[in-house]
Amino acid sequence: MPDHHWLILRLEAPLVAFGGVAIDQLGVTRDFPAASMLTGLLANALGWRRTEWQAHQALQDRLVFAARWERDGEFGVLTDTQNAKLDKNDKGWTTWGEPEGRNGASYGAPHRRQRDYHPDACMVLALRLAPADQEPSLDTLAASLDRPARPLFIGRKPCLPSAPLRQKDRVMAPTAYAALQKLPQQNDGADRLRALWPLGEGPSEGDTVHRIIDLPDRRNWRTGLHGGTRKVVEGVLMPQVLTL
């Protein structure tokens, strides 16, 4: 299997969020970033608009990545309860650089919602694009992450990174798993690390490999998250592992 160039990202911030299935006012966060979240992050760095869906989809289809937790806040998920009562005269600043109103709509009562975050979090990612000879290239992504067209955030706008996302050194490796293995582990003394990679990009069997149908919402795993094993399910999309 030939070696590939892998771009290394470090997602570190006081708060990060990886999205999930939002129901009504509940905004959960997953254990790991989805391909769509990474696509949005990269597209924001490139300066694309959200209406350019063909470009977004093409980029997402090319993404191959693996992710590994380096530090997960010891207190679990932080839930932010937000309350706001807005009227038609309220305006707020947006990423477009000008205030935006509410087109006359108003609430008769406070608007309440909950948003989940990973506090004091740090995760490393190795990613490449397949095929590699199309634009945007890995070099283009690297340059855009160094000098992004717009401010970057990790999942939600309050999640501003505490350091540059792109690590300077690239990795040469045949698979996403092998790329992660080449990155020094900075797990603050934890006895195990959690990682994720696509099928075919690393081992799919073994005592520490736990297959899951989809990335579960973290809200559903508040108890026993770091302890017990997860049920092995056949016909999966992606495996998750616990490595000592």
Side-chain angles (χ1 to χ4, degrees), residues 185-196:
Q185 297 179 358
Q186 301 175 3
N187 59 338
D188 292 348
D191 60 351
R192 61 180 63 191
L193 295 172
R194 291 180 296 134
L196 172 145

Side-chain angles (χ1 to χ4, degrees), residues 70-225:
E70 299 292 275
R71 184 178 68 253
D72 192 0
E74 59 179 308
F75 301 107
V77 168
L78 182 150
T79 299
D80 180 26
T81 300
Q82 303 170 352
N83 298 277
K85 186 172 183 180
L86 308 175
D87 63 33
K88 63 182 179 181
N89 296 318
D90 287 331
K91 294 183 178 182
W93 286 95
T94 69
T95 54
W96 303 113
E98 58 185 20
E100 185 176 34
R102 304 192 63 252
N103 297 323
S106 63
Y107 292 113
H111 178 57
R112 296 186 173 93
R113 66 181 188 177
Q114 292 182 333
R115 294 293 183 267
D116 283 354
Y117 300 89
H118 298 284
D120 188 26
C122 181
M123 176 178 287
V124 294
L125 285 88
L127 68 87
R128 68 180 176 92
L129 298 173
D133 57 353
Q134 297 181 5
E135 284 293 336
S137 65
L138 215 57
D139 289 336
T140 301
L141 290 185
S144 298
L145 288 168
D146 289 344
R147 299 182 66 86
R150 291 192 290 268
L152 302 180
F153 48 88
I154 306 173
R156 296 193 180 110
K157 291 180 181 178
C159 304
L160 301 178
S162 56
L165 296 182
R166 187 179 78 87
Q167 304 300 289
K168 296 301 182 182
D169 295 331
R170 297 192 189 184
V171 168
M172 289 289 294
T175 66
Y177 176 82
L180 280 185
Q181 292 294 93
K182 290 190 174 184
L183 302 179
Q185 297 179 358
Q186 301 175 3
N187 59 338
D188 292 348
D191 60 351
R192 61 180 63 191
L193 295 172
R194 291 180 296 134
L196 172 145
W197 56 83
L199 286 172
E201 289 287 334
S204 57
E205 297 179 348
D207 294 339
T208 59
V209 177
H210 303 276
R211 296 183 176 183
I212 52 178
I213 293 178
D214 192 12
L215 303 182
D217 291 335
R218 184 69 178 272
R219 182 186 296 272
N220 299 328
W221 298 88
R222 288 183 183 274
T223 58
L225 178 66

